[in-house]
């Protein structure tokens, strides 16, 4: 088994736990406040990895392209996080998570069309299986079109689907950063954490914060560690595998979130 696939599998596990704790621990937090606190702490948690790494910071002839790509991916991450967090706030985690992780369905045509990726039958099959699994996860034993009708009428489902499209572009951007531009994870990740925090800052500061929010800082610290490690594992996978391979595995995080939601939240 490729080490890249192993990295993607570990990232899926960590992201699945992250989705669950978003719902379980931070349901009362506005999305902008949650994202700001989490990503500031994620930067601090990840900083030791940056310090001990021997990779050079952004430099050379690809500087402008790298900065532009990092900025675009950072904006995408911010928008996608806000969408999925809002969807989880108003919907069940076991319903929202599978829809928000239909990302590979959009990644496949994007990677083929934009990057000229040649796909194997196994890669196409993986995306098909992931799509069918998400469809079945939302089927309640009625008509075959019932999940589609439910999603069309559900605000959480609509937000989750929009987040999936956003994160599909993010995954393509990560693949470009890691392979075409050869940017190290320890270069991209801290810049992304700072960028998301800066984008969220003005909105979060104008939003009402829960009383005594600082009491939840230990929970935020655990969540930040999940985010930092999961991001690093994901980018290691993108260094070694195409997006159409990594994305279906990483977005298996929905399975973890559904299981945790069913067992611990009785959804």
């Amino acid at each position: 088994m490729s080490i890249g696939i192993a990295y993607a599998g570990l990232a899926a596990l960590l992201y699945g736990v992250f989705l669950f704790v978003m719902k379980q621990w931070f349901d009362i937090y506005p999305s902008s406040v949650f994202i700001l606190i989490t990503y500031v702490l994620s930067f601090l948690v990840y900083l030791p990895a940056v310090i001990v790494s021997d990779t050079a910071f952004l430099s050379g002839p690809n500087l402008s392209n790298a900065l532009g790509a990092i900025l675009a991916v950072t904006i995408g991450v911010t928008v996608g996080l806000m969408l999925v967090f809002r969807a989880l706030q108003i919907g069940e985690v076991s319903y929202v998570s599978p829809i928000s992780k239909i990302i590979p369905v959009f990644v496949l045509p994007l990677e083929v069309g934009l990057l000229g990726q040649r796909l194997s039958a196994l890669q196409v099959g993986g995306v098909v299986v992931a799509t069918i699994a998400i469809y079945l996860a939302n089927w309640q034993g009625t008509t075959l079109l019932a999940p589609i009708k439910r999603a069309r009428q559900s605000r959480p489902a609509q937000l989750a689907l929009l987040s999936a499209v956003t994160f599909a572009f993010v995954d393509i951007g990560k693949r470009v950063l890691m392979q075409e531009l050869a940017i190290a994870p320890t270069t991209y990740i801290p810049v992304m954490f700072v960028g998301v925090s800066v984008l969220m800052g003005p909105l979060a500061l104008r939003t009402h914060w829960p009383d005594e929010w600082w009491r939840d800082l230990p929970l935020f610290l655990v969540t930040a560690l999940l985010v930092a490690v999961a991001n690093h594992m994901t980018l290691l996978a993108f260094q070694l595998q195409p997006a159409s391979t990594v994305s279906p595995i990483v977005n298996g995080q929905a399975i973890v979130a559904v299981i945790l939601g069913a067992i611990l939240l009785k959804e």
Side-chain angles (χ1 to χ4, degrees):
M1 180 180 67
S2 168
I3 188 65
I5 293 177
Y7 287 142
L10 179 56
L13 178 61
L14 295 171
Y15 277 130
V17 176
F18 168 68
L19 284 173
F20 172 77
V21 300
M22 280 174 63
K23 177 73 174 183
Q24 178 72 349
W25 292 346
F26 306 108
D27 200 35
I28 66 171
Y29 282 83
S31 57
S32 58
V33 174
F34 167 79
I35 294 170
L36 175 62
I37 297 175
T38 300
Y39 274 69
V40 168
L41 290 177
S42 294
F43 171 78
L44 297 176
V45 167
Y46 192 74
L47 199 55
V50 178
I51 294 173
V52 301
S53 67
D54 57 359
T55 54
F57 200 67
L58 293 175
S59 61
N62 287 331
L63 175 60
S64 60
N65 290 337
L67 287 175
I70 290 175
L71 177 61
V73 172
T74 299
I75 293 173
V77 169
T78 306
V79 173
L81 283 171
M82 291 188 67
L83 289 169
V84 74
F85 188 86
R86 179 56 181 162
L88 285 169
Q89 280 185 316
I90 62 178
E92 294 182 347
V93 64
S94 54
Y95 178 61
V96 169
S97 294
I99 298 175
S100 68
K101 299 310 168 187
I102 200 169
I103 299 167
V105 175
F106 304 108
V107 167
L108 189 149
L110 285 173
E111 190 169 35
V112 171
L114 298 178
L115 302 179
Q117 178 69 37
R118 299 183 65 180
L119 303 177
S120 67
L122 182 61
Q123 289 171 297
V124 176
V127 173
V128 171
V129 169
T131 305
I132 294 174
I134 291 170
Y135 184 85
L136 292 177
N138 291 300
W139 187 51
Q140 299 177 329
T142 55
T143 64
L144 289 177
L145 295 179
I148 297 176
K149 293 179 181 178
R150 181 187 179 192
R152 288 177 60 187
Q153 299 170 354
S154 169
R155 185 63 172 170
Q158 294 167 358
L159 292 172
L161 185 60
L162 189 56
S163 76
V165 176
T166 303
F167 277 119
F169 282 97
V170 168
D171 279 355
I172 295 299
K174 288 179 179 178
R175 179 261 165 92
V176 171
L177 285 170
M178 295 300 104
Q179 294 190 28
E180 277 73 12
L181 297 178
I183 301 299
T186 47
T187 295
Y188 162 75
I189 290 177
V191 175
M192 184 270 292
F193 284 157
V194 171
V196 171
S197 301
V198 169
L199 290 171
M200 282 292 97
L203 182 59
L205 294 176
R206 293 197 300 267
T207 304
H208 174 71
W209 291 42
D211 296 333
E212 299 184 342
W213 60 270
W214 58 87
R215 295 183 182 273
D216 289 330
L217 281 177
L219 298 180
F220 274 110
L221 189 60
V222 172
T223 306
L225 184 60
L226 286 172
V227 170
V229 178
N231 269 279
H232 191 79
M233 292 297 105
T234 300
L235 294 183
L236 291 179
F238 274 116
Q239 284 183 326
L240 302 171
Q241 295 287 340
S244 50
T245 297
V246 174
S247 188
I249 299 172
V250 171
N251 288 292
Q253 61 191 267
I255 298 172
V256 179
V258 167
I259 292 173
L260 292 175
I263 294 175
L264 300 180
L265 299 182
K266 308 300 181 184
E267 294 183 350

